[in-house]
Amino acid sequence: MTKIIIKILKKAFLHLLFWVVVWFFFSSFFSVGSSNENFIFWFSTLLSLIAIVSSYVFVYHLIPNFLIVKKQKLFVLYTFYACVFIVCAVLMTVVFGFVFFYNLEYQKMPGLTKNSGVILVCVLLIIVLASAFKILKHNFKSLEEKKTLENKFLQTKLQLKEQELQFLKMQIHPHFLFNTLNTLYGFALKKSDQAPEMILKLSSLLDYILYQVDKPLVHLQDEITHIEDYISLEKSRFQEGLGITFNKNIDIEVFEISPMLLLPFVENAFKHGSQINGVVEVTINLKVDENELNFTIENSSIKKENSKKGIGLENIKKRLEMLYQKDYFLEILQEDNVFKVNLKITKKNDE
């Protein structure tokens, strides 16, 4: 309540200050060639009253109720009525000075106070200034409101994007985990001596997909380490039935990517890879320089009719679109005996 009162008092003070300045302007301007201080005081006061009434009619009624809401015809009509009132009021002010201060002796009146045109221009100038200030204030307020709405829209859009990313991650977790646990289950049935080592690597993978994946970015080397752990798990499962090649050419120490960005492609290659001549062939090439990441993975595959696509690749496509927009290129090819993925990510300048 106190803030509202202070705001009202501040506004009233500024209005009062403005009209005092206007009165002094009239008093100084029309006093040229006149020594009758009493006449100049009342003449300036009457002109100020005309300017005050007319300005507030425009500022608080005609402009907000007609001009701003685009009722131009009514605004023009009421502006005409207001101008008629202003002209009549100015003429009556001249007559007032002529009758009460100069006893109908027109020639004794100061030159400026006899010129109705000059008086009218001065009054209209004040009204135009007040009206222009009102319009500028409205436009500024509209821009601020538009900017606020745009910011709210962008915040909402960002929140929706973050929620969708979280949803995609939630889908990736069980999808990837289910396939990895299947591998471990197979070793448990065989009672393999490699099971403890596999459990250790699986534990590292679980930590990555359950906790590290919530980070916006991770070092590329972290993703590579977990890819290698996953490959090791798959080697243990496939034994002699797997031919794997992982070529790395990295010319930069620090390159950050979104977590679990490359690993689903590797997992997909093993899950959907087909044995040709008793071997699943998987070839991975990773090349990274200062500006770009190039990732290519191929796996042997027998093209099947009406094959169903898993959620892994679909989710990764959505994530790439949301995270990198125009800064990536993804190509997925299904040939006779090869399934191939080409991914190119351009490093952003702010990374």
Side-chain angles (χ1 to χ4, degrees), residues 217 219 251-257 288-294 323-324 326-329 344-351:
L217 294 171
H219 290 298
D251 296 331
I252 183 173
E253 292 185 3
V254 178
F255 194 102
E256 294 184 323
I257 61 171
V288 184
D289 56 31
E290 292 183 357
N291 301 313
E292 196 172 75
L293 178 148
N294 286 280
L323 291 167
Y324 295 97
K326 296 181 180 180
D327 296 318
Y328 84 97
F329 169 79
K344 182 185 295 183
I345 296 176
T346 303
K347 188 177 182 180
K348 297 179 181 179
N349 294 328
D350 57 348
E351 287 184 8

Side-chain angles (χ1 to χ4, degrees), residues 58 96 172 221 243-244 275 298:
F58 274 93
F96 170 78
I172 289 172
Q221 187 56 50
I244 177 73
Q275 286 189 341
E298 299 179 9

Side-chain angles (χ1 to χ4, degrees), residues 74-200:
L74 287 175
F75 177 75
V76 171
L77 177 63
Y78 289 126
T79 299
F80 173 75
Y81 292 156
C83 288
V84 170
F85 163 78
I86 294 168
V87 170
C88 293
V90 167
L91 292 176
M92 289 176 64
T93 302
V94 174
V95 172
F96 170 78
F98 172 62
V99 173
F100 291 98
F101 288 93
Y102 288 95
N103 299 318
L104 303 178
E105 297 181 16
Y106 185 73
Q107 297 299 326
K108 292 184 178 181
M109 290 183 67
L112 291 176
T113 60
K114 291 189 294 183
N115 193 328
S116 300
V118 173
I119 300 170
L120 187 62
V121 168
C122 290
V123 173
L124 290 176
L125 176 64
I126 302 302
I127 297 170
V128 168
L129 287 174
S131 300
F133 178 78
K134 173 67 176 179
I135 294 171
L136 288 174
K137 184 179 178 182
H138 169 76
N139 289 339
F140 179 77
K141 186 178 179 181
S142 298
L143 288 174
E144 287 292 316
E145 290 176 350
K146 183 180 178 181
K147 187 176 180 180
T148 302
L149 287 174
E150 287 178 350
N151 288 336
K152 288 182 178 179
F153 174 75
L154 290 174
Q155 288 177 354
T156 303
K157 189 176 179 180
L158 180 61
Q159 289 174 354
L160 290 174
K161 181 178 178 180
E162 290 175 351
Q163 290 174 2
E164 187 172 354
L165 280 171
Q166 289 298 325
F167 175 72
L168 292 174
K169 289 176 182 178
M170 288 171 64
Q171 286 186 311
I172 289 172
H173 292 175
H175 173 73
F176 182 84
L177 180 59
F178 176 78
N179 293 320
T180 307
L181 287 176
N182 273 344
T183 300
L184 183 60
Y185 176 70
F187 275 87
L189 290 178
K190 296 177 183 179
K191 298 181 180 179
S192 172
D193 293 335
Q194 295 177 319
E197 184 181 352
M198 287 190 64
I199 292 173
L200 186 62

Side-chain angles (χ1 to χ4, degrees), residues 198-214:
M198 287 190 64
I199 292 173
L200 186 62
K201 291 181 178 180
L202 178 59
S203 174
S204 176
L205 282 168
L206 288 176
D207 176 74
Y208 187 59
I209 67 174
L210 293 177
Y211 300 106
Q212 303 302 318
V213 79
D214 288 331

